[in-house]
Amino acid sequence: MATTVIIISAGMRLRRWLLCSLLLAVPASAQPLSSVADLRYGVVLYEYYQGNYLDALAELMVAEARGGIRGHRENPQLIAGGISLAYGMHGKAAAIFDDLLDDDTPVEVRNAAWYYLAKLLYLQSDWDASAASLGRLDGSPDSAISTRLQSLQFNLALRRNDLDAAAALLLGYPKSDFMWSYHAYNLAAAYSRAQLPARAQAYFQALLQHVRDNFNPDPMAPASVEQQRVEALALYDKAQTALGYSLLQQGRQASAISSFSGVRKDSDYRHEALLGYGWSAFQQRDYQQALTPWQLVNAGPLDSPAVQESLLAVPYVYEQIGAEQQALQAYQHAEQRLQSEFQRLQALAADIEAGQLPLWLQAQTRGFNWLALEQELDLELEQELPANPRQLELARLFARNRFQASLQEWRDVRALQQQLARWQEQLEVYQWSWQERYDLRQQKQALVAGQPWRAQGAQLQQQRDALRQRLDSARQQQDYLALASGETAANWRTVQRMQANVERLQAAGKPVAEYVPAVELYRGLVLWQAAQDFPAALWRNEKNLRAADAALTSLAQDRDRVEVALQSAADIAPFAGRIRSLQQRLTQQTRQLASARASIEGQLAQQVVVYLDEQRQQLRQYLAQARLAKARLYDKALEAQP
């Protein structure tokens, strides 16, 4: 089992608690029963319930930039403030909650804001100001946050070292809430630090009984993946170990042994428990009983202080029972292992100082859900990366609480980088889509501009107007020949030629008397025929004119529709500027995140180096003790020689 399968960092637990209880702070009277008044708020809730908290916050910020969310009162602000608080954006959270403290704000919303401000001040270690904010609550708080309020009040009492007030608050805290287990352990630990072992032991015992009643710590019980049970059993083992050491300090070795024996064999606290078991037996002068658990601890990983201490405890027991040869061998074995561990830490520190930490972090969190628990990471590493001991070392190292804040900041920044990368990909898709639409629109506009509609329409209008004028003139002047067509028109042209011939003959001095009557007769016949055809010709031309008018009207309508479509189509040109602006913002934010990540990695590397220096200093002391003990045994052996 990995070394952090049970341990869960306080920071991640607090974040998870804040996020899971966030919507509980939204006044029940303000919550819609089955629908949302603003679609954007529905998107926010969807992302929130999917666990995409940063996406939910981003949706809230986008909605705010576009005029805000309507129909849900102050709920969106409470959600935005709560998520900001959970992710350490204290300035933004404080600004949001301050805005909600207006007198016009409903009392339940003001209470939620005061509660979150108190939580914010608590996280900033301003205990008095946090308590003052809680004192501003108006009347009884909403039932949805009453338990969380009790939890905060309890923690404040502990921080202010008011243990009696904390004990009174714990009496009224519902045991059905899982946080009761943590509060009971923390109160017991506080009493232990205050040198009040009896009270500490009472709360340790109460916690142990609570776990027995609700979570079945029997090592033969079926395994469960339920996270609360995992945490409860971790607290159980930790409380058993702490209780054992408390009893040991009082000289109650038998009771201490019983408590140490209650720690599960696969627990992360087994080495500390076995070490305490051995010291309890040692104080009873039962050296053989002390030796057995210490030898078991010896086989553990050397990054455990309990294992390091046991390496010197085993040969010390051998000395007490007079087995000096075995003691010397055990000291030599301890020196070898301690020296090996010292060199390992030295090499790890050198690699970190050489800048290897970012690469290890990147590999370590491959495929890692940044809101998941640490043990998932360790199990993944043990299963997938057995050939890389460095990453396993880091997994055990980073499970320690002293690194969790920086490590969580690194995970947050990395998650933001991944989010920005996804947004950058989306912007590239939008840019491609915009370019496609823009090019298509330009092609259509060019096609429309190249059509001969306008010229054809003008030509057709001229022809229609000429026909109208012709018809009107023929009707007014009774010009029958103006509308003549077919045979009548041909006959009229024949008459005109005959008249022209007669006129030429007359001009030549030739007699034309015999031709003139015939021409006049033929001319009269043609005019009579044209007069007979005139009404029908007039009707036909009027019909053609109406058809021309309809065609012109249809053409004008089609042209107008095309013009309207071109003019009313959404102007997509500004979107290009918006996309470029967003790309520039993303580029700038990407650089900022890269700088922040490098800074966090530098801080984390420095923390690790400092920790490794501390561990090496402790190893130096143990090595010095082992070497002095070896020298003492060598001297004693020389003195015993004749």
Side-chain angles (χ1 to χ4, degrees), residues 1 5 17 37 58 110 151 162 205 295 314 345 442 446 465 471 477 486 521 541 608 627 634:
M1 176 176 288
V5 168
W17 173 77
R110 287 203 309 274
S151 182
D162 191 350
Q205 293 285 8
Q295 288 175 328
V314 168
L345 295 181
Q442 292 296 108
D465 293 341
L471 291 178
Q477 299 177 10
L521 176 62
N541 281 278
V608 172
R627 288 163 181 167
Y634 280 133

Side-chain angles (χ1 to χ4, degrees), residues 265-300:
K265 293 181 180 180
D266 60 350
S267 168
D268 280 354
Y269 298 96
R270 62 189 182 277
H271 296 133
E272 289 79 1
L274 288 171
L275 183 67
Y277 186 106
W279 282 119
S280 300
F282 184 88
Q283 290 184 7
Q284 291 179 318
R285 298 184 182 279
D286 189 345
Y287 299 125
Q288 188 59 47
Q289 188 180 5
L291 189 60
T292 301
W294 283 347
Q295 288 175 328
L296 291 174
V297 179
N298 272 191

Side-chain angles (χ1 to χ4, degrees), residues 382-399:
E382 288 188 348
Q383 294 168 4
E384 297 186 8
L385 301 172
N388 193 336
R390 273 288 184 267
Q391 291 176 1
L392 293 177
E393 292 172 5
L394 288 176
R396 291 192 295 267
L397 184 66
F398 288 147

Side-chain angles (χ1 to χ4, degrees), residues 508-529:
K510 294 181 180 182
V512 294
E514 61 178 311
Y515 301 119
V516 171
V519 172
E520 290 296 330
L521 176 62
Y522 197 64
R523 182 176 180 275
L525 291 173
V526 172
L527 287 174
W528 177 83
Q529 185 63 46

Side-chain angles (χ1 to χ4, degrees), residues 125-410:
S125 302
D126 193 344
W127 321 128
D128 293 337
S130 179
S133 292
L134 291 181
R136 299 292 299 274
L137 293 175
D138 190 355
S140 300
D142 191 280
S143 59
I145 64 170
S146 60
T147 301
R148 305 306 173 192
L149 176 61
Q150 287 178 276
S151 182
L152 180 56
Q153 290 171 330
F154 173 86
N155 287 329
L156 277 173
L158 279 187
R159 293 295 188 179
R160 301 170 84 182
N161 206 31
D162 191 350
L163 303 187
D164 291 338
L169 286 167
L170 190 61
L171 283 176
Y173 197 91
K175 286 189 175 182
S176 58
D177 188 271
F178 188 70
M179 290 302 295
W180 183 92
S181 302
Y182 284 103
H183 293 333
Y185 180 87
N186 290 335
L187 182 58
Y191 275 127
S192 183
R193 290 192 299 270
Q195 303 300 315
L196 296 172
R199 293 188 181 183
Q201 292 164 16
Y203 282 101
F204 281 136
Q205 293 285 8
L207 170 59
L208 294 173
Q209 189 60 49
H210 176 70
V211 176
R212 292 190 192 99
D213 293 341
N214 294 279
F215 296 100
N216 190 6
D218 183 355
M220 300 303 294
S224 173
V225 296
E226 182 183 3
Q227 185 55 42
Q228 282 195 354
R229 182 176 184 273
V230 173
E231 294 186 38
L233 296 183
L235 279 174
Y236 180 89
D237 293 331
K238 192 172 184 179
Q240 284 280 32
T241 304
L243 175 61
Y245 278 104
S246 178
L247 294 168
L248 180 59
Q249 289 177 351
Q250 287 186 302
R252 299 167 60 185
Q253 292 88 0
S255 297
I257 288 176
S258 177
S259 183
F260 288 130
S261 299
V263 176
R264 294 171 301 142
K265 293 181 180 180
D266 60 350
S267 168
D268 280 354
Y269 298 96
R270 62 189 182 277
H271 296 133
E272 289 79 1
L274 288 171
L275 183 67
Y277 186 106
W279 282 119
S280 300
F282 184 88
Q283 290 184 7
Q284 291 179 318
R285 298 184 182 279
D286 189 345
Y287 299 125
Q288 188 59 47
Q289 188 180 5
L291 189 60
T292 301
W294 283 347
Q295 288 175 328
L296 291 174
V297 179
N298 272 191
L302 274 176
D303 58 356
S304 168
V307 175
Q308 296 174 8
E309 184 176 345
S310 71
L311 288 174
L312 298 181
V314 168
Y316 184 63
V317 170
Y318 283 136
E319 285 192 78
Q320 300 304 310
I321 61 178
E324 295 180 352
Q325 183 64 33
Q326 291 175 296
L328 180 59
Q329 293 175 353
Y331 278 125
Q332 290 173 338
H333 174 71
E335 181 184 13
Q336 292 173 357
R337 291 199 64 191
L338 292 170
Q339 183 63 36
S340 175
E341 177 67 6
F342 183 88
Q343 293 172 351
R344 184 187 70 83
L345 295 181
Q346 195 169 27
L348 179 59
D351 288 343
I352 291 175
E353 290 175 339
Q356 294 295 314
L357 183 61
L359 298 177
W360 294 337
L361 285 172
Q362 185 69 24
Q364 186 182 18
T365 52
R366 174 171 50 84
F368 179 59
N369 180 354
W370 66 291
L371 277 179
L373 299 174
E374 290 94 330
Q375 63 266 30
E376 295 178 4
L377 168 62
D378 292 324
L379 291 175
E380 177 187 348
L381 289 178
E382 288 188 348
Q383 294 168 4
E384 297 186 8
L385 301 172
N388 193 336
R390 273 288 184 267
Q391 291 176 1
L392 293 177
E393 292 172 5
L394 288 176
R396 291 192 295 267
L397 184 66
F398 288 147
R400 302 179 187 278
N401 282 335
R402 65 187 294 172
F403 302 118
Q404 285 301 306
S406 295
L407 188 60
Q408 188 58 52
E409 287 183 359
W410 185 89

Side-chain angles (χ1 to χ4, degrees), residues 467-468 471 475 483 533-547:
L467 179 59
R468 176 79 271 171
L471 291 178
R475 181 184 293 109
L483 301 181
D533 294 339
F534 184 76
L538 185 61
W539 177 84
R540 287 195 302 273
N541 281 278
E542 288 288 354
K543 180 180 179 182
N544 292 336
L545 187 62
R546 289 193 296 271

Side-chain angles (χ1 to χ4, degrees), residues 7 38 56 110 115 177 187 229 273 277 402 424 426 440 444 451 456 510 514 564 567-568 588:
I7 302 303
D38 192 314
R110 287 203 309 274
Y115 163 74
D177 188 271
L187 182 58
R229 182 176 184 273
Y277 186 106
R402 65 187 294 172
Q424 185 65 50
Q426 291 175 358
L440 182 59
K444 290 182 177 179
Q451 294 295 325
Q456 290 177 348
K510 294 181 180 182
E514 61 178 311
V564 169
Q567 295 175 5
S568 63
Q588 180 183 3

